[in-house]
Coordinates of all heavy atoms in Angstrom, one line a residue:
S26 N 8.2 22.7 -61.8 CA 8.9 21.7 -62.6 C 9.5 22.3 -63.8 O 8.9 23.2 -64.4 CB 7.9 20.6 -63.0 OG 6.9 21.1 -63.8
S27 N 10.6 21.8 -64.2 CA 11.3 22.4 -65.4 C 10.7 21.7 -66.6 O 10.3 20.5 -66.6 CB 12.8 22.1 -65.3 OG 13.1 20.7 -65.2
P28 N 10.7 22.4 -67.7 CA 10.2 21.8 -69.0 C 11.1 20.7 -69.4 O 12.3 20.7 -69.3 CB 10.2 23.0 -70.0 CG 11.2 24.0 -69.4 CD 11.1 23.8 -67.9
S29 N 10.5 19.7 -70.0 CA 11.3 18.6 -70.5 C 12.1 19.0 -71.7 O 11.6 19.8 -72.5 CB 10.5 17.3 -70.8 OG 9.5 17.7 -71.8
P30 N 13.3 18.5 -71.9 CA 14.1 18.9 -73.1 C 13.4 18.5 -74.4 O 12.9 17.4 -74.4 CB 15.4 18.3 -72.9 CG 15.1 17.1 -71.9 CD 14.0 17.6 -71.1
S31 N 13.4 19.3 -75.4 CA 12.7 19.0 -76.6 C 13.7 18.5 -77.7 O 13.3 18.3 -78.8 CB 11.9 20.2 -77.1 OG 12.9 21.3 -77.4
S32 N 15.0 18.3 -77.3 CA 16.0 18.0 -78.3 C 15.7 16.8 -79.0 O 15.9 16.7 -80.2 CB 17.3 17.9 -77.6 OG 17.3 16.9 -76.6
G33 N 15.1 15.7 -78.4 CA 14.9 14.5 -79.0 C 13.5 14.3 -79.5 O 13.1 13.2 -80.0
K34 N 12.7 15.3 -79.4 CA 11.3 15.2 -79.8 C 11.0 15.9 -81.0 O 11.4 17.0 -81.2 CB 10.4 15.7 -78.7 CG 10.4 14.9 -77.4 CD 9.2 13.9 -77.5 CE 9.1 13.2 -76.1 NZ 8.4 11.9 -76.2
Y35 N 10.2 15.3 -81.9 CA 9.7 16.0 -83.1 C 8.2 15.9 -83.1 O 7.6 15.0 -82.6 CB 10.3 15.3 -84.4 CG 11.8 15.2 -84.4 CD1 12.5 14.1 -84.0 CD2 12.5 16.3 -84.8 CE1 13.8 14.0 -84.0 CE2 13.9 16.3 -84.9 CZ 14.5 15.1 -84.4 OH 15.9 15.1 -84.4
R36 N 7.6 16.9 -83.8 CA 6.2 16.9 -84.0 C 5.9 16.9 -85.5 O 6.7 17.6 -86.3 CB 5.5 18.1 -83.4 CG 5.4 18.0 -81.9 CD 4.8 19.3 -81.3 NE 4.8 19.2 -79.9 CZ 3.8 18.6 -79.2 NH1 2.9 17.9 -79.8 NH2 3.9 18.6 -77.9
G37 N 4.9 16.3 -86.0 CA 4.5 16.4 -87.4 C 3.2 15.6 -87.7 O 2.6 15.0 -86.8
R38 N 2.9 15.7 -88.9 CA 1.7 15.0 -89.4 C 2.0 13.5 -89.5 O 3.1 13.1 -90.0 CB 1.3 15.5 -90.8 CG 0.7 16.9 -90.8 CD 0.2 17.2 -92.2 NE 1.2 16.8 -93.2 CZ 0.8 16.0 -94.3 NH1 -0.4 15.7 -94.5 NH2 1.7 15.7 -95.1
G39 N 1.0 12.7 -89.1 CA 1.1 11.2 -89.4 C 0.1 10.8 -90.4 O -1.1 11.1 -90.2
T40 N 0.5 10.2 -91.5 CA -0.4 9.7 -92.5 C -0.2 8.2 -92.6 O 0.7 7.7 -92.0 CB -0.2 10.5 -93.8 OG1 1.2 10.4 -94.1 CG2 -0.6 11.9 -93.7
W41 N -1.0 7.6 -93.5 CA -0.7 6.2 -93.8 C -0.5 5.9 -95.2 O -1.0 6.7 -96.1 CB -1.8 5.3 -93.2 CG -3.2 5.6 -93.7 CD1 -4.1 6.4 -93.1 CD2 -3.9 5.0 -94.8 NE1 -5.3 6.4 -93.8 CE2 -5.2 5.6 -94.9 CE3 -3.5 4.1 -95.8 CZ2 -6.1 5.3 -95.9 CZ3 -4.4 3.8 -96.8 CH2 -5.7 4.4 -96.9
F42 N 0.2 4.8 -95.6 CA 0.4 4.5 -97.0 C 0.2 3.0 -97.2 O -0.1 2.3 -96.3 CB 1.8 4.9 -97.4 CG 3.0 4.1 -96.8 CD1 3.8 3.3 -97.5 CD2 3.3 4.2 -95.4 CE1 4.8 2.6 -97.0 CE2 4.3 3.5 -94.8 CZ 5.1 2.7 -95.6
S43 N 0.2 2.6 -98.5 CA -0.2 1.2 -98.8 C 0.9 0.5 -99.6 O 0.6 -0.6 -100.1 CB -1.5 1.2 -99.5 OG -1.6 2.2 -100.5
D44 N 2.1 1.0 -99.6 CA 3.2 0.3 -100.4 C 3.6 -1.0 -99.6 O 3.4 -1.1 -98.4 CB 4.4 1.2 -100.5 CG 4.1 2.4 -101.3 OD1 3.1 2.5 -102.0 OD2 4.9 3.4 -101.3
D45 N 4.3 -1.9 -100.3 CA 4.9 -3.0 -99.6 C 6.4 -3.2 -99.9 O 7.0 -4.2 -99.7 CB 4.1 -4.3 -99.9 CG 4.1 -4.6 -101.3 OD1 4.7 -3.9 -102.1 OD2 3.3 -5.6 -101.7
S46 N 7.0 -2.1 -100.5 CA 8.4 -2.1 -100.6 C 8.9 -0.6 -100.5 O 8.1 0.3 -100.7 CB 8.8 -2.6 -102.0 OG 8.3 -1.8 -103.0
G47 N 10.1 -0.4 -100.1 CA 10.5 0.9 -99.8 C 12.0 1.2 -100.1 O 12.7 0.3 -100.5
S48 N 12.4 2.4 -99.9 CA 13.7 2.8 -100.2 C 14.9 2.1 -99.5 O 16.0 2.1 -99.9 CB 13.9 4.4 -100.0 OG 13.6 4.7 -98.7
C49 N 14.6 1.5 -98.3 CA 15.6 0.8 -97.5 C 15.9 -0.6 -98.0 O 16.8 -1.2 -97.5 CB 15.2 0.8 -96.1 SG 15.2 2.4 -95.3
E50 N 15.0 -1.1 -98.9 CA 15.2 -2.5 -99.4 C 15.0 -3.5 -98.2 O 15.7 -4.5 -98.2 CB 16.4 -2.7 -100.2 CG 16.5 -1.8 -101.4 CD 17.7 -1.9 -102.3 OE1 18.6 -2.8 -101.9 OE2 17.8 -1.2 -103.3
I51 N 14.2 -3.1 -97.3 CA 13.8 -4.0 -96.2 C 12.4 -4.6 -96.5 O 11.5 -3.8 -96.7 CB 13.8 -3.3 -94.8 CG1 15.2 -2.8 -94.5 CG2 13.3 -4.2 -93.7 CD1 15.3 -1.8 -93.3
D52 N 12.3 -5.9 -96.5 CA 10.9 -6.4 -96.7 C 10.0 -6.1 -95.6 O 10.3 -6.1 -94.4 CB 11.0 -8.0 -96.8 CG 11.7 -8.4 -98.1 OD1 11.7 -7.7 -99.1 OD2 12.3 -9.5 -98.1
F53 N 8.7 -5.7 -96.0 CA 7.7 -5.4 -95.0 C 6.3 -5.6 -95.7 O 6.3 -5.6 -96.9 CB 7.8 -4.0 -94.4 CG 7.6 -2.9 -95.4 CD1 6.4 -2.4 -95.6 CD2 8.7 -2.3 -96.1 CE1 6.2 -1.3 -96.5 CE2 8.5 -1.3 -97.0 CZ 7.3 -0.8 -97.2
D54 N 5.3 -5.7 -94.9 CA 4.0 -5.6 -95.4 C 3.1 -4.7 -94.5 O 3.6 -4.2 -93.5 CB 3.3 -6.9 -95.7 CG 3.1 -7.7 -94.4 OD1 2.6 -7.1 -93.4 OD2 3.3 -8.9 -94.4
Q55 N 1.9 -4.4 -94.9 CA 1.1 -3.4 -94.2 C 0.6 -3.8 -92.8 O 0.1 -3.0 -92.1 CB -0.1 -3.0 -95.1 CG 0.4 -2.0 -96.2 CD 0.9 -0.8 -95.7 OE1 0.5 -0.2 -94.7 NE2 2.0 -0.3 -96.4
S56 N 0.9 -5.1 -92.4 CA 0.6 -5.5 -91.1 C 1.7 -5.3 -90.1 O 1.6 -5.5 -88.9 CB 0.2 -7.0 -91.1 OG 1.2 -7.8 -91.5
D57 N 2.9 -4.9 -90.6 CA 4.1 -4.6 -89.8 C 4.0 -3.2 -89.2 O 3.4 -2.3 -89.7 CB 5.3 -4.7 -90.7 CG 5.6 -6.1 -91.2 OD1 5.1 -7.1 -90.6 OD2 6.2 -6.3 -92.2
M58 N 4.7 -3.1 -88.0 CA 4.8 -1.9 -87.3 C 6.0 -1.1 -87.9 O 7.1 -1.0 -87.4 CB 5.1 -2.1 -85.8 CG 3.9 -2.7 -85.1 SD 2.5 -1.6 -85.1 CE 1.3 -2.5 -86.0
I59 N 5.8 -0.5 -89.1 CA 6.8 0.2 -89.8 C 6.4 1.6 -90.2 O 5.2 2.0 -90.1 CB 7.2 -0.6 -91.1 CG1 6.0 -0.9 -92.0 CG2 8.0 -1.8 -90.7 CD1 5.7 0.1 -93.0
V60 N 7.4 2.4 -90.6 CA 7.1 3.8 -90.9 C 8.1 4.3 -92.0 O 9.2 3.8 -92.1 CB 7.3 4.7 -89.6 CG1 8.7 4.6 -89.1 CG2 6.8 6.1 -89.8
A61 N 7.6 5.3 -92.8 CA 8.4 6.0 -93.7 C 8.8 7.3 -93.2 O 7.9 8.1 -92.8 CB 7.7 6.1 -95.1
M62 N 10.1 7.6 -93.1 CA 10.6 8.9 -92.6 C 10.5 10.0 -93.6 O 10.8 9.7 -94.8 CB 12.0 8.7 -92.1 CG 12.7 9.9 -91.6 SD 12.2 10.5 -90.0 CE 12.7 9.1 -88.9
N63 N 10.2 11.2 -93.2 CA 10.2 12.3 -94.2 C 11.6 12.4 -94.8 O 12.6 12.2 -94.2 CB 9.8 13.6 -93.6 CG 10.7 14.1 -92.5 OD1 11.7 14.7 -92.8 ND2 10.4 13.8 -91.2
E64 N 11.7 12.8 -96.1 CA 12.9 12.9 -96.9 C 13.9 13.8 -96.2 O 15.1 13.5 -96.2 CB 12.6 13.3 -98.3 CG 13.7 13.1 -99.3 CD 13.2 13.4 -100.7 OE1 12.0 13.7 -100.9 OE2 14.1 13.3 -101.6
D65 N 13.5 14.9 -95.6 CA 14.3 15.9 -95.0 C 15.2 15.3 -93.9 O 16.3 15.6 -93.7 CB 13.4 17.0 -94.5 CG 14.2 18.3 -94.2 OD1 15.4 18.4 -94.6 OD2 13.6 19.3 -93.8
Q66 N 14.5 14.4 -93.1 CA 15.2 13.8 -91.9 C 15.8 12.4 -92.2 O 16.5 11.9 -91.4 CB 14.3 13.8 -90.7 CG 14.0 15.2 -90.1 CD 13.0 15.2 -89.0 OE1 11.8 15.2 -89.3 NE2 13.5 15.2 -87.8
M67 N 15.4 11.9 -93.3 CA 15.8 10.5 -93.6 C 17.3 10.5 -93.9 O 18.0 9.6 -93.4 CB 15.1 10.0 -94.8 CG 15.3 8.5 -95.1 SD 14.7 7.4 -93.8 CE 15.1 5.8 -94.5
G68 N 17.8 11.4 -94.7 CA 19.2 11.4 -95.1 C 19.6 10.2 -96.0 O 18.8 9.7 -96.7
A69 N 20.9 9.8 -95.9 CA 21.4 8.8 -96.7 C 20.8 7.4 -96.4 O 20.5 7.1 -95.2 CB 22.9 8.7 -96.5
L70 N 20.6 6.6 -97.4 CA 19.9 5.3 -97.3 C 20.9 4.2 -96.8 O 20.5 3.2 -96.4 CB 19.2 4.9 -98.6 CG 18.1 5.8 -99.0 CD1 17.5 5.3 -100.3 CD2 17.0 5.8 -97.9
S71 N 22.2 4.5 -97.0 CA 23.2 3.5 -96.6 C 24.3 4.2 -95.9 O 24.4 5.4 -95.9 CB 23.7 2.7 -97.8 OG 24.3 3.6 -98.7
G72 N 25.2 3.4 -95.2 CA 26.3 4.0 -94.5 C 26.0 4.2 -93.0 O 24.9 3.9 -92.6
S73 N 26.9 4.8 -92.3 CA 26.8 4.8 -90.8 C 25.6 5.7 -90.4 O 25.1 5.5 -89.3 CB 28.1 5.3 -90.2 OG 28.4 6.6 -90.7
G74 N 25.3 6.7 -91.2 CA 24.2 7.7 -90.8 C 22.8 7.2 -91.2 O 21.8 7.9 -91.0
S75 N 22.7 6.1 -91.8 CA 21.4 5.6 -92.4 C 20.4 5.4 -91.3 O 20.7 4.8 -90.2 CB 21.6 4.3 -93.2 OG 20.3 3.8 -93.5
K76 N 19.2 5.8 -91.5 CA 18.1 5.6 -90.5 C 17.4 4.3 -90.9 O 16.5 3.9 -90.1 CB 17.1 6.7 -90.5 CG 17.8 8.0 -89.9 CD 16.7 9.1 -89.7 CE 17.3 10.2 -88.9 NZ 18.4 10.9 -89.6
C77 N 17.7 3.6 -92.0 CA 17.0 2.4 -92.3 C 17.2 1.3 -91.2 O 18.3 1.1 -90.7 CB 17.6 1.8 -93.6 SG 17.2 2.8 -95.1
G78 N 16.1 0.8 -90.8 CA 16.1 -0.3 -89.8 C 16.1 0.3 -88.4 O 15.9 -0.5 -87.4
Q79 N 16.3 1.6 -88.2 CA 16.3 2.2 -86.8 C 14.8 2.3 -86.3 O 13.9 2.2 -87.1 CB 16.9 3.6 -86.9 CG 18.4 3.5 -87.0 CD 19.0 4.9 -86.7 OE1 18.4 5.8 -86.1 NE2 20.3 5.1 -87.2
K80 N 14.7 2.4 -85.0 CA 13.4 2.5 -84.4 C 13.1 3.9 -84.0 O 14.0 4.7 -83.6 CB 13.3 1.6 -83.2 CG 13.9 0.2 -83.4 CD 12.8 -0.8 -83.6 CE 13.3 -2.2 -83.6 NZ 12.7 -3.0 -84.6
V81 N 11.8 4.3 -84.1 CA 11.3 5.5 -83.5 C 10.1 5.2 -82.6 O 9.4 4.3 -82.9 CB 10.9 6.6 -84.6 CG1 12.1 7.1 -85.3 CG2 9.9 6.0 -85.6
R82 N 10.0 6.0 -81.5 CA 8.8 5.9 -80.7 C 7.8 7.0 -81.0 O 8.2 8.2 -81.0 CB 9.2 6.0 -79.2 CG 8.0 5.9 -78.3 CD 8.4 5.8 -76.8 NE 8.9 4.5 -76.5 CZ 8.2 3.3 -76.3 NH1 6.9 3.4 -76.5 NH2 8.8 2.2 -76.0
V83 N 6.7 6.6 -81.5 CA 5.6 7.5 -82.0 C 4.5 7.6 -80.9 O 4.1 6.5 -80.4 CB 5.1 7.0 -83.3 CG1 4.0 8.0 -83.8 CG2 6.2 6.9 -84.3
S84 N 4.1 8.8 -80.6 CA 3.0 9.0 -79.6 C 1.9 9.8 -80.1 O 2.1 10.8 -80.9 CB 3.6 9.7 -78.3 OG 4.7 9.0 -77.8
Y85 N 0.7 9.5 -79.7 CA -0.5 10.2 -80.1 C -1.6 10.0 -79.0 O -2.0 8.9 -78.7 CB -1.0 9.7 -81.4 CG -2.3 10.4 -81.9 CD1 -2.3 11.7 -82.4 CD2 -3.5 9.7 -81.8 CE1 -3.5 12.3 -82.8 CE2 -4.7 10.2 -82.3 CZ -4.7 11.5 -82.7 OH -5.9 12.1 -83.1
K86 N -2.0 11.1 -78.4 CA -3.1 11.1 -77.4 C -2.9 10.0 -76.3 O -3.8 9.3 -76.0 CB -4.4 11.0 -78.1 CG -4.8 12.2 -78.9 CD -6.3 12.1 -79.3 CE -6.7 13.4 -80.0 NZ -8.1 13.4 -80.5
G87 N -1.6 9.9 -75.8 CA -1.4 9.0 -74.7 C -1.0 7.6 -75.2 O -0.6 6.8 -74.3
K88 N -1.2 7.3 -76.4 CA -0.8 6.0 -76.9 C 0.6 6.1 -77.5 O 1.0 7.1 -78.1 CB -1.7 5.5 -78.0 CG -3.1 5.3 -77.6 CD -4.0 4.9 -78.7 CE -5.5 4.8 -78.3 NZ -6.3 4.6 -79.5
S89 N 1.4 5.0 -77.4 CA 2.8 5.0 -77.9 C 3.1 3.7 -78.6 O 2.6 2.7 -78.2 CB 3.7 5.3 -76.7 OG 5.0 5.2 -77.1
Q90 N 3.9 3.8 -79.6 CA 4.2 2.6 -80.4 C 5.6 2.8 -81.0 O 6.0 3.8 -81.4 CB 3.2 2.4 -81.6 CG 3.3 1.1 -82.3 CD 2.8 0.0 -81.5 OE1 1.8 0.1 -80.7 NE2 3.5 -1.2 -81.6
V91 N 6.4 1.7 -80.9 CA 7.7 1.7 -81.5 C 7.6 1.2 -82.9 O 7.1 0.1 -83.2 CB 8.7 0.9 -80.7 CG1 10.1 0.8 -81.4 CG2 8.9 1.5 -79.3
L92 N 8.1 2.0 -83.9 CA 8.0 1.6 -85.3 C 9.4 1.6 -85.9 O 10.3 2.3 -85.5 CB 7.2 2.7 -86.1 CG 5.8 2.9 -85.5 CD1 5.1 4.0 -86.3 CD2 4.9 1.7 -85.5
T93 N 9.6 0.7 -86.9 CA 10.9 0.5 -87.6 C 10.8 1.3 -88.9 O 9.9 1.2 -89.7 CB 11.1 -0.9 -87.9 OG1 11.1 -1.7 -86.7 CG2 12.5 -1.1 -88.6
I94 N 11.9 2.1 -89.2 CA 12.0 2.9 -90.4 C 12.4 2.0 -91.6 O 13.5 1.4 -91.5 CB 13.0 4.0 -90.2 CG1 12.6 4.9 -89.0 CG2 13.2 4.8 -91.5 CD1 13.8 5.9 -88.6
V95 N 11.6 1.9 -92.6 CA 11.9 1.1 -93.7 C 11.8 1.8 -95.1 O 12.0 1.2 -96.1 CB 10.9 -0.1 -93.8 CG1 11.1 -1.0 -92.6 CG2 9.5 0.3 -94.0
D96 N 11.4 3.1 -95.0 CA 11.1 3.8 -96.3 C 11.3 5.3 -96.1 O 11.4 5.8 -95.0 CB 9.7 3.4 -96.7 CG 9.4 3.7 -98.2 OD1 10.3 4.1 -99.0 OD2 8.2 3.5 -98.6
T97 N 11.2 6.0 -97.3 CA 11.3 7.4 -97.3 C 10.0 8.0 -97.8 O 9.5 7.5 -98.8 CB 12.4 7.9 -98.2 OG1 13.6 7.3 -97.9 CG2 12.6 9.4 -98.2
C98 N 9.5 9.0 -97.1 CA 8.3 9.7 -97.6 C 8.8 10.9 -98.4 O 9.4 11.8 -97.8 CB 7.4 10.1 -96.4 SG 5.9 11.0 -97.0
P99 N 8.5 11.0 -99.7 CA 9.0 12.1 -100.5 C 8.6 13.5 -100.0 O 7.5 13.6 -99.4 CB 8.5 11.8 -101.9 CG 8.1 10.3 -101.9 CD 7.7 10.0 -100.5
S100 N 9.4 14.5 -100.3 CA 9.2 15.8 -99.8 C 7.9 16.4 -100.3 O 7.3 17.3 -99.6 CB 10.4 16.7 -100.1 OG 10.6 16.7 -101.5
Q101 N 7.4 15.9 -101.4 CA 6.1 16.5 -101.9 C 4.9 16.0 -101.0 O 3.9 16.6 -101.0 CB 5.8 16.3 -103.4 CG 5.6 14.8 -103.7 CD 6.9 14.2 -104.3 OE1 8.0 14.5 -103.8 NE2 6.7 13.4 -105.3
Y102 N 5.1 15.0 -100.2 CA 4.1 14.5 -99.4 C 4.4 14.7 -97.9 O 3.4 14.9 -97.1 CB 3.9 12.9 -99.5 CG 3.6 12.5 -100.9 CD1 4.5 11.8 -101.7 CD2 2.4 12.9 -101.5 CE1 4.2 11.4 -103.0 CE2 2.1 12.6 -102.9 CZ 3.0 11.8 -103.6 OH 2.7 11.5 -104.9
C103 N 5.6 14.7 -97.5 CA 6.0 14.8 -96.1 C 7.0 16.0 -95.9 O 8.0 16.0 -96.5 CB 6.7 13.5 -95.6 SG 5.5 12.1 -95.4
D104 N 6.6 16.9 -95.0 CA 7.5 18.0 -94.5 C 8.4 17.4 -93.4 O 8.1 16.3 -92.9 CB 6.7 19.2 -94.0 CG 5.9 19.8 -95.1 OD1 6.4 19.8 -96.3 OD2 4.8 20.3 -94.8
K105 N 9.4 18.2 -93.0 CA 10.2 17.8 -91.9 C 9.3 17.6 -90.7 O 8.4 18.4 -90.3 CB 11.2 18.9 -91.6 CG 12.2 18.5 -90.5 CD 13.3 19.6 -90.4 CE 14.4 19.0 -89.4 NZ 15.5 19.9 -89.3
G106 N 9.6 16.4 -90.0 CA 8.8 16.1 -88.8 C 7.7 15.1 -89.1 O 7.2 14.4 -88.2
D107 N 7.3 15.0 -90.4 CA 6.1 14.1 -90.8 C 6.6 12.7 -90.9 O 7.7 12.4 -91.3 CB 5.5 14.6 -92.1 CG 4.8 15.9 -92.1 OD1 4.7 16.5 -90.9 OD2 4.4 16.4 -93.1
L108 N 5.7 11.8 -90.6 CA 5.9 10.3 -90.8 C 4.7 9.7 -91.5 O 3.6 10.1 -91.4 CB 5.9 9.7 -89.4 CG 7.1 10.1 -88.4 CD1 6.9 9.4 -87.1 CD2 8.4 9.8 -89.0
D109 N 5.0 8.7 -92.4 CA 4.0 8.0 -93.1 C 4.0 6.6 -92.6 O 5.0 5.9 -92.7 CB 4.4 8.0 -94.6 CG 3.2 7.9 -95.5 OD1 2.1 8.0 -95.1 OD2 3.4 7.8 -96.8
L110 N 2.9 6.2 -91.9 CA 2.8 5.0 -91.2 C 2.2 3.8 -92.0 O 1.4 4.1 -92.9 CB 2.0 5.1 -89.9 CG 2.6 5.8 -88.7 CD1 3.0 7.3 -89.0 CD2 1.6 5.8 -87.6
S111 N 2.6 2.6 -91.7 CA 1.9 1.5 -92.3 C 0.4 1.5 -91.8 O 0.1 2.2 -90.7 CB 2.5 0.1 -91.8 OG 2.3 -0.1 -90.4
Q112 N -0.5 0.8 -92.5 CA -1.9 0.9 -92.1 C -2.0 0.3 -90.7 O -2.8 0.8 -89.8 CB -2.7 0.1 -93.1 CG -2.7 0.9 -94.4 CD -3.3 0.1 -95.6 OE1 -4.2 -0.8 -95.4 NE2 -2.9 0.4 -96.8
A113 N -1.3 -0.8 -90.4 CA -1.4 -1.4 -89.0 C -0.9 -0.5 -87.9 O -1.6 -0.4 -86.9 CB -0.6 -2.7 -89.0
A114 N 0.1 0.3 -88.2 CA 0.7 1.2 -87.2 C -0.3 2.4 -87.0 O -0.6 2.8 -85.9 CB 2.0 1.7 -87.7
F115 N -0.9 2.9 -88.1 CA -1.9 4.0 -88.0 C -3.1 3.6 -87.2 O -3.5 4.3 -86.3 CB -2.3 4.4 -89.4 CG -3.0 5.7 -89.4 CD1 -2.4 6.9 -89.7 CD2 -4.4 5.8 -89.2 CE1 -3.0 8.1 -89.7 CE2 -5.1 7.0 -89.2 CZ -4.4 8.2 -89.5
K116 N -3.5 2.3 -87.4 CA -4.7 1.8 -86.7 C -4.5 1.7 -85.2 O -5.4 1.6 -84.4 CB -5.1 0.5 -87.2 CG -5.8 0.5 -88.6 CD -6.3 -0.9 -89.0 CE -6.2 -1.0 -90.5 NZ -6.3 -2.4 -91.0
K117 N -3.2 1.6 -84.7 CA -2.9 1.6 -83.3 C -3.3 2.9 -82.7 O -3.5 3.0 -81.5 CB -1.4 1.4 -83.1 CG -0.9 0.0 -83.4 CD -1.3 -1.0 -82.4 CE -0.7 -2.3 -82.7 NZ -1.2 -3.4 -81.8
F118 N -3.4 4.0 -83.5 CA -3.7 5.3 -82.9 C -5.1 5.8 -83.3 O -5.7 6.5 -82.5 CB -2.7 6.3 -83.5 CG -1.3 6.0 -83.1 CD1 -0.3 5.6 -84.1 CD2 -0.8 6.1 -81.8 CE1 1.0 5.4 -83.7 CE2 0.5 5.9 -81.5 CZ 1.4 5.5 -82.4
A119 N -5.6 5.4 -84.4 CA -6.9 5.9 -84.9 C -7.4 5.1 -86.1 O -6.6 4.3 -86.7 CB -6.8 7.4 -85.3
D120 N -8.7 5.3 -86.4 CA -9.2 4.7 -87.6 C -8.5 5.3 -88.9 O -8.3 6.5 -88.9 CB -10.7 4.9 -87.7 CG -11.5 4.0 -86.7 OD1 -11.0 3.0 -86.3 OD2 -12.5 4.5 -86.2
M121 N -8.4 4.5 -89.9 CA -7.7 5.0 -91.1 C -8.5 6.1 -91.7 O -7.9 7.0 -92.4 CB -7.5 3.8 -92.1 CG -6.3 3.0 -91.7 SD -6.1 1.5 -92.6 CE -6.2 2.0 -94.3
D122 N -9.8 6.1 -91.6 CA -10.6 7.2 -92.2 C -10.3 8.6 -91.6 O -10.7 9.6 -92.2 CB -12.1 6.9 -92.4 CG -12.7 6.6 -91.0 OD1 -12.1 6.9 -90.0 OD2 -13.8 6.0 -91.0
V123 N -9.7 8.6 -90.4 CA -9.2 9.9 -89.9 C -8.2 10.5 -90.8 O -8.2 11.7 -91.0 CB -8.6 9.7 -88.5 CG1 -8.0 11.0 -87.9 CG2 -9.7 9.1 -87.5
G124 N -7.3 9.7 -91.4 CA -6.5 10.1 -92.5 C -5.2 10.8 -92.0 O -4.1 10.5 -92.6
E125 N -5.2 11.6 -91.0 CA -4.0 12.4 -90.6 C -4.1 12.6 -89.1 O -5.1 13.0 -88.5 CB -4.1 13.7 -91.3 CG -2.8 14.5 -91.2 CD -2.9 15.8 -92.1 OE1 -3.0 15.7 -93.3 OE2 -2.9 16.9 -91.5
L126 N -2.9 12.5 -88.5 CA -2.8 12.7 -87.0 C -1.7 13.7 -86.7 O -0.7 13.8 -87.5 CB -2.4 11.3 -86.3 CG -3.3 10.1 -86.6 CD1 -2.7 8.9 -86.0 CD2 -4.7 10.3 -86.1
E127 N -1.8 14.4 -85.6 CA -0.7 15.2 -85.1 C 0.2 14.4 -84.2 O -0.2 14.1 -83.0 CB -1.2 16.4 -84.4 CG -1.7 17.5 -85.4 CD -0.6 18.1 -86.2 OE1 0.5 18.3 -85.7 OE2 -0.8 18.3 -87.4
L128 N 1.3 13.9 -84.6 CA 2.1 13.0 -83.9 C 3.3 13.7 -83.2 O 3.7 14.7 -83.6 CB 2.7 11.9 -84.8 CG 1.8 11.0 -85.5 CD1 2.6 10.1 -86.4 CD2 0.9 10.2 -84.6
E129 N 3.8 13.0 -82.1 CA 5.0 13.4 -81.5 C 5.9 12.1 -81.6 O 5.4 11.0 -81.4 CB 4.8 13.8 -80.1 CG 6.1 14.4 -79.4 CD 5.8 15.0 -78.1 OE1 5.8 14.2 -77.1 OE2 5.5 16.2 -78.0
W130 N 7.2 12.3 -81.9 CA 8.0 11.1 -82.0 C 9.5 11.4 -81.6 O 9.9 12.6 -81.6 CB 7.9 10.5 -83.4 CG 8.3 11.4 -84.5 CD1 7.4 12.2 -85.2 CD2 9.5 11.5 -85.2 NE1 8.1 12.9 -86.2 CE2 9.4 12.4 -86.2 CE3 10.8 10.8 -85.0 CZ2 10.5 12.8 -87.0 CZ3 11.8 11.2 -85.8 CH2 11.7 12.1 -86.8
S131 N 10.2 10.4 -81.3 CA 11.6 10.5 -81.0 C 12.3 9.3 -81.3 O 11.7 8.2 -81.6 CB 11.7 10.8 -79.5 OG 11.2 9.8 -78.7

């Protein structure tokens, strides 16, 4: 079997946060299936290239969840590939006290 193309797949750390407002100016709360994209991959917050409101599919140990991008995770917290999840989204994959997950997403 040929290896699956990795072009659309990213790997990175998944953490959780507790804010209820973000850089995209989209209303959300911590019960929503939302995510903050790392600053490196987030790019412009407005215009045609904006990732605000776009969906990503996040996978961890066979579980998968579609999350909406509503915020930016600053570069001092998130490297390229990293995602900062709402508490509800993180709990879909693991208990919050785990703190950090190795995620794959596209």
Side-chain angles (χ1 to χ4, degrees):
S26 65
S27 61
S29 59
S31 60
S32 59
K34 289 269 190 200
Y35 301 98
R36 286 181 183 277
R38 289 182 322 127
T40 49
W41 57 268
F42 69 112
S43 42
D44 299 346
D45 58 8
S46 64
S48 60
C49 290
E50 297 180 5
I51 296 171
D52 290 333
F53 65 88
D54 65 42
Q55 284 299 323
S56 61
D57 294 335
M58 291 295 118
I59 53 93
V60 64
M62 175 74 64
N63 66 82
E64 198 172 352
D65 199 3
Q66 289 175 277
M67 187 65 177
L70 295 176
S71 59
S73 60
S75 173
K76 291 191 173 58
C77 289
Q79 288 193 17
K80 312 261 191 224
V81 288
R82 178 171 289 282
V83 179
S84 304
Y85 175 74
K86 292 192 172 175
K88 296 177 187 170
S89 177
Q90 190 70 39
V91 174
L92 306 177
T93 302
I94 301 167
V95 298
D96 199 4
T97 307
C98 182
S100 55
Q101 65 262 40
Y102 302 115
C103 289
D104 294 327
K105 186 171 184 176
D107 292 353
L108 299 174
D109 209 8
L110 281 61
S111 68
Q112 293 171 28
F115 193 95
K116 286 184 212 168
K117 291 283 184 189
F118 300 111
D120 290 330
M121 282 171 48
D122 56 15
V123 173
E125 189 177 297
L126 308 172
E127 282 296 318
L128 299 178
E129 188 173 85
W130 59 273
S131 58

